[in-house]
């Protein structure tokens, strides 16, 4: 026997799928509405206090320490509804940041060992490594 659940906000019967997390206590319509109000704030860089709860639409009580919701329950619902959006947004930001500042994300340059450096210098001078070291050694003796 399956128990029918109703959307906490509008009272629509819910199709239960998967686990019973908070997000499943809201219907798709209500979730879409909450998400769109939440994303509207972000896209328009609105950081001030809302007059009405983004989740249930009731006025946020004076003195309640919340900007977008009227209660802890609504806050929990808002968090679960917006979790995926926030995750995607964080991932996009990281990708954008990599595009804007690629140097920050480059792997550290491989440091050549002293031997590797000498070989490279020798190649740049167009001589063999052995000759290069001999010349270098000779010069050191003269000093
Ligand atoms: Zn609903
Ligand atoms: Zn509320």
């Amino acid at each position: 026997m399956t128990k029918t659940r109703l959307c906490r906000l509008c009272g629509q019967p819910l199709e239960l799928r998967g686990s019973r997390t908070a997000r499943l206590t809201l219907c798709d319509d209500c979730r879409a509405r909450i998400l769109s109000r939440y994303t509207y704030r972000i896209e328009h860089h609105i950081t001030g206090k809302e007059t009405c709860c983004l989740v249930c639409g009731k006025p946020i009580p004076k003195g309640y320490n919340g900007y977008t919701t009227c209660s802890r329950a609504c806050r929990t619902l808002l968090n679960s509804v917006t979790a995926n959006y926030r995750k995607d947004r964080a991932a996009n930001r990281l990708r954008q940041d990599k595009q804007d500042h690629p140097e920050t994300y480059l792997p550290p340059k491989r440091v050549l060992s002293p031997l590797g450096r000498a070989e490279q210098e020798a190649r740049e001078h167009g001589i063999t490594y052995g000759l290069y070291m001999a010349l270098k050694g000779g010069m050191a003796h003269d000093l």
Side-chain angles (χ1 to χ4, degrees), residues 112 116-129 132:
L112 288 174
R117 248 195 328 263
E119 267 181 336
Q120 197 179 38
E121 267 177 61
R123 260 201 307 280
E124 277 163 15
H125 287 89
I127 52 180
T128 65
Y129 175 64
Y132 174 79

Side-chain angles (χ1 to χ4, degrees), residues 9-10 15 20 36 39 48-49 51 65 75 87 103 121-122 127 134 141 143:
L9 294 178
C10 68
E15 252 181 74
R20 288 185 190 187
S36 74
T39 55
K49 196 165 176 164
T51 47
N65 188 23
R75 206 189 146 73
K87 210 166 73 192
E103 68 282 356
E121 267 177 61
I127 52 180
H141 279 301
L143 283 172

Side-chain angles (χ1 to χ4, degrees), residues 65-94:
N65 188 23
Y67 277 75
T68 51
T69 51
C70 68
S71 61
R72 271 181 98 97
C74 285
R75 206 189 146 73
T76 306
L77 288 175
L78 180 72
N79 282 339
S80 68
V81 167
T82 57
N84 280 339
Y85 171 79
R86 282 180 284 125
K87 210 166 73 192
D88 286 355
R89 199 177 138 78
N92 280 339
R93 250 219 306 268
L94 187 67

Side-chain angles (χ1 to χ4, degrees), residues 7 9-12 26-27 29-30:
C7 171
L9 294 178
C10 68
Q12 251 192 89
L26 295 177
C27 70
D29 288 351
C30 288

Side-chain angles (χ1 to χ4, degrees), residues 90-139:
N92 280 339
R93 250 219 306 268
L94 187 67
R95 208 173 302 140
Q96 189 60 47
D97 201 37
K98 275 188 187 177
Q99 248 165 43
D100 294 348
H101 311 281
E103 68 282 356
T104 323
Y105 294 92
L106 283 177
K109 279 208 180 81
R110 208 161 60 89
V111 179
L112 288 174
S113 66
L115 186 69
R117 248 195 328 263
E119 267 181 336
Q120 197 179 38
E121 267 177 61
R123 260 201 307 280
E124 277 163 15
H125 287 89
I127 52 180
T128 65
Y129 175 64
L131 181 59
Y132 174 79
M133 286 315 272
L135 284 173
K136 214 174 167 171
M139 281 192 300

Side-chain angles (χ1 to χ4, degrees), residues 32-52:
R33 180 174 48 81
I34 293 166
L35 190 62
S36 74
R37 290 191 63 181
Y38 177 82
T39 55
Y40 179 89
R41 274 178 66 87
I42 290 182
E43 275 151 24
H44 293 80
H45 305 284
I46 301 165
T47 52
K49 196 165 176 164
E50 291 283 320
T51 47
C52 293

